[in-house]
Amino acid sequence: MAKKLNRYENFVKRVKHCHHNEEQAIFFISAPSAAGKDGLWKFLSKMGYDKKYQLHKVISTTTRYPRINEICGYDYFFTPKCALTDKKGKFLSFCVNPVSFGKDISGEHVWYCYTEKELEEPLKEGKSLFFNVIGSAVPFYKDYFSERFPNVKLISTCWTITADAQKEKFYRREPNKTAEELQAILDSRAPERKMYDKLIAKGIFDFVDDASIRLVDWKHKQYKKHNK
């Protein structure tokens, strides 16, 4: 009986396949909160797969202030809105698909976008992209890259996560919050989980992998060696 690959192995298998066939690719990874998308990149870089397979992590630009321990150029590019817009407040042409999520402490909308340079320059250098992006935006970016880089292969993967697994992750991530506060966080994520269920049903992803196996469960000897 063939061994069932976990989600990390599945992702790496697809990267290796493209690299072996000398195919330049864009690997989209999408999942609800707490499914482990950030952990995937940490794993890839820890194992050296980012360098071995010429993977460039696409980094979003945001107008919000950095949070504790966030690093500009690694987590986000933290940029004031005035540097991204003209005098009328319209986003400049190099800002791709700007969207607003929430407000900052001053009440101003917080914006996120990708710049043309961040999306296109690595591809022009022959690299492949690791693209952590919300699922509803995958069709937009597939069209964007198909038009500009028709020879680059597009591979989209979605990870699922159950409400119980998400709750467990939030409890480990926020140990100082009360049960009521954690439940409020979980409840606020319910629409996001439903959105992914609908996107999966529409078939917009090339692959849908179970996200129950966390990075701490990874048994790869080489990872354990690097993680000492």
Side-chain angles (χ1 to χ4, degrees):
M1 183 176 177
K3 174 180 176 287
K4 182 180 178 181
L5 300 180
N6 68 35
R7 59 183 184 173
Y8 291 93
E9 292 171 312
N10 278 333
F11 194 89
V12 173
K13 181 180 178 180
R14 291 159 198 157
V15 173
K16 286 181 177 180
H17 179 78
C18 288
H19 185 77
H20 177 76
N21 293 331
E22 298 183 348
E23 294 176 314
Q24 193 177 5
I26 299 170
F27 299 96
F28 297 93
I29 178 68
S30 298
S33 302
K37 302 184 298 297
D38 292 333
L40 172 60
W41 178 254
K42 291 176 182 178
F43 166 75
L44 292 171
S45 58
K46 191 81 173 180
M47 296 295 288
Y49 290 147
D50 55 335
K51 295 180 176 63
K52 184 175 181 179
Y53 300 118
Q54 288 291 292
L55 285 175
H56 173 84
K57 177 188 176 187
V58 178
I59 301 173
S60 175
T61 293
T62 181
T63 62
R64 71 167 172 79
Y65 290 100
R67 297 173 184 143
I68 296 175
N69 296 325
E70 285 186 329
I71 301 171
C72 186
Y74 180 84
D75 297 291
Y76 293 94
F77 291 114
F78 298 99
T79 309
K81 187 181 177 183
C82 61
L84 304 173
T85 58
D86 60 20
K87 293 180 180 179
K88 295 182 180 180
K90 182 179 178 180
F91 279 90
L92 298 171
S93 60
F94 65 79
C95 298
V96 180
N97 196 31
V99 292
S100 176
F101 292 110
K103 298 181 179 180
D104 60 23
I105 56 176
S106 66
E108 293 292 324
H109 284 278
V110 173
W111 290 87
Y112 295 83
C113 71
Y114 295 97
T115 64
E116 286 185 352
K117 179 179 180 181
E118 179 66 10
L119 295 176
E120 299 183 11
E121 198 168 88
L123 292 173
K124 293 175 181 177
E125 294 173 353
K127 297 178 181 178
S128 292
L129 298 185
F130 173 91
F131 201 171
N132 179 349
V133 63
I134 188 170
S136 56
V138 168
F140 171 88
Y141 287 107
K142 280 190 172 183
D143 289 342
Y144 177 92
F145 288 115
S146 294
E147 180 182 341
R148 292 163 176 79
F149 298 89
N151 295 323
V152 174
K153 192 169 185 178
L154 308 177
I155 302 175
S156 59
T157 298
C158 178
W159 284 352
T160 62
I161 186 169
T162 64
D164 287 341
Q166 203 174 44
K167 184 176 182 178
E168 180 187 347
K169 184 70 172 286
F170 289 148
Y171 268 85
R172 289 189 288 112
R173 182 187 288 176
E174 304 283 356
N176 297 321
K177 290 191 180 297
T178 66
E180 291 77 14
E181 289 173 328
L182 288 165
Q183 187 60 47
I185 294 174
L186 183 65
D187 291 343
S188 71
R189 297 298 193 275
E192 182 188 44
R193 292 196 304 275
K194 290 180 180 178
M195 177 195 75
Y196 274 96
D197 288 341
K198 291 179 180 178
L199 293 173
I200 291 170
K202 288 181 179 179
I204 74 164
F205 301 107
D206 301 309
F207 300 96
V208 178
D209 293 337
D210 176 72
S212 61
I213 302 174
R214 297 183 296 276
L215 186 60
V216 292
D217 299 318
W218 182 260
K219 303 301 182 182
H220 196 294
K221 292 182 179 178
Q222 187 179 355
Y223 175 74
K224 291 173 72 175
K225 178 181 177 182
H226 280 281
N227 201 35
K228 287 182 179 178

